[in-house]
Amino acid sequence: MDIKGTCIASVTDEHGPVYVYQTKKNLILSFDGKIYQSCIKLDNINGLSLAYTQAMMAALFFIPHLKTAMIMGLGAGSIAKSLYHAFPALTIHTVEYRQAVADMAIKYFEVPVSERLFIHIDDAANYMKKTQIKTDVIFSDLYSSEGMESDQVQSSYLRDCKNALTFDGVLVLNICHTKVGQREAFDQLLEKEFAGKILSFIIEGGNKIVFAFNNKMPVLSEDELLAKAHTLQKSINVPMTRYAELLFNQKWLV
């Protein structure tokens, strides 16, 4: 089903087309004119409109002092912009495979050009293998028009992400539209690389949001988690208590 809206920009590189659509309320990035790759609301250009991007922010519940963030897959830059405006002292490194996507994100989606927001044009797996940066959180959301990128389900990529985390760092992944058996195989890889230090929940729409911890599982009470959700909710204007409630169902709370 085609995206309902007006195509206001398009470009084609060696990897295929990149489209920008505008509706009455939204600005949409797509690689095929059918599936949303990213979406922002015109009346909240720095907000997070897609549920899975909101859910991924729950990783911030577990980080004591947020100084550096990495985002694998810039897209239209919704996560990068939300973090950039909510945390004025935060340094953000984004990795985007396609220069054309980065150009669209800057021109049409108002991704800031800033000394504390870096856009690296590279393959995510290659970047993670060579980076010397240590980061408090990695948001990994690697998708093309054909589905989840194979890099995201490789042991070497997960291991390199783990090595790039600070002591209390968290890797958060969006897992969606996986092939039969792929999600189970990926769960096994995560268990192996992170020694079972993993939390996850499934949101409406079927996306599985995974939190993998570098050091140890967090020790929080239900009240502490809810308090963190309320604080974060004020910073990013997202109803984070709903994701705290999803985490309540896990058996790790003290």
Side-chain angles (χ1 to χ4, degrees), residues 14 32 37 103 136 138 141 144 191:
E14 64 270 31
D32 60 3
Q37 202 283 332
D103 292 342
D136 300 308
I138 300 172
D141 182 31
S144 68
E191 288 288 335

Side-chain angles (χ1 to χ4, degrees), residues 34-181:
K34 298 179 180 180
I35 297 174
Y36 286 30
Q37 202 283 332
S38 297
C39 176
I40 64 169
K41 294 186 181 298
L42 292 172
D43 62 356
N44 185 21
I45 60 169
N46 298 319
L48 296 168
S49 60
L50 297 179
Y52 82 86
T53 60
Q54 296 181 3
M56 291 179 81
M57 300 298 272
L60 304 186
F61 293 162
F62 310 114
I63 299 170
H65 306 289
L66 182 64
K67 296 180 180 179
T68 305
M70 280 188 184
I71 303 166
M72 301 295 111
L74 174 66
S78 57
I79 291 178
K81 288 194 301 174
S82 179
L83 292 170
Y84 181 86
H85 290 284
F87 303 98
L90 181 65
T91 299
I92 304 165
H93 292 269
T94 66
V95 181
E96 173 54 53
Y97 187 52
R98 301 169 67 179
Q99 181 68 58
V101 173
D103 292 342
M104 289 289 204
I106 293 169
K107 184 173 182 179
Y108 293 97
F109 293 87
E110 300 187 27
V111 170
V113 177
S114 166
E115 62 184 11
R116 63 183 185 87
L117 198 164
F118 300 89
I119 300 176
H120 307 276
I121 304 302
D122 201 348
D123 172 83
N126 183 59
Y127 178 84
M128 292 311 302
K129 190 175 296 294
K130 67 184 183 182
T131 187
Q132 299 298 310
I133 297 168
K134 290 290 186 178
T135 185
D136 300 308
V137 59
I138 300 172
F139 296 89
S140 188
D141 182 31
L142 300 177
Y143 286 83
S144 68
S145 60
E146 298 178 356
M148 186 166 67
E149 293 285 359
S150 59
D151 285 344
Q152 191 157 268
V153 292
Q154 299 295 324
S155 286
S156 56
Y157 173 72
L158 296 174
R159 192 175 307 124
D160 290 336
C161 285
K162 187 175 188 296
N163 290 336
L165 290 170
T166 54
F167 185 74
D168 290 317
V170 184
L171 168 66
V172 54
L173 305 108
N174 172 44
I175 309 300
C176 181
H177 302 308
T178 48
K179 298 175 183 178
V180 176

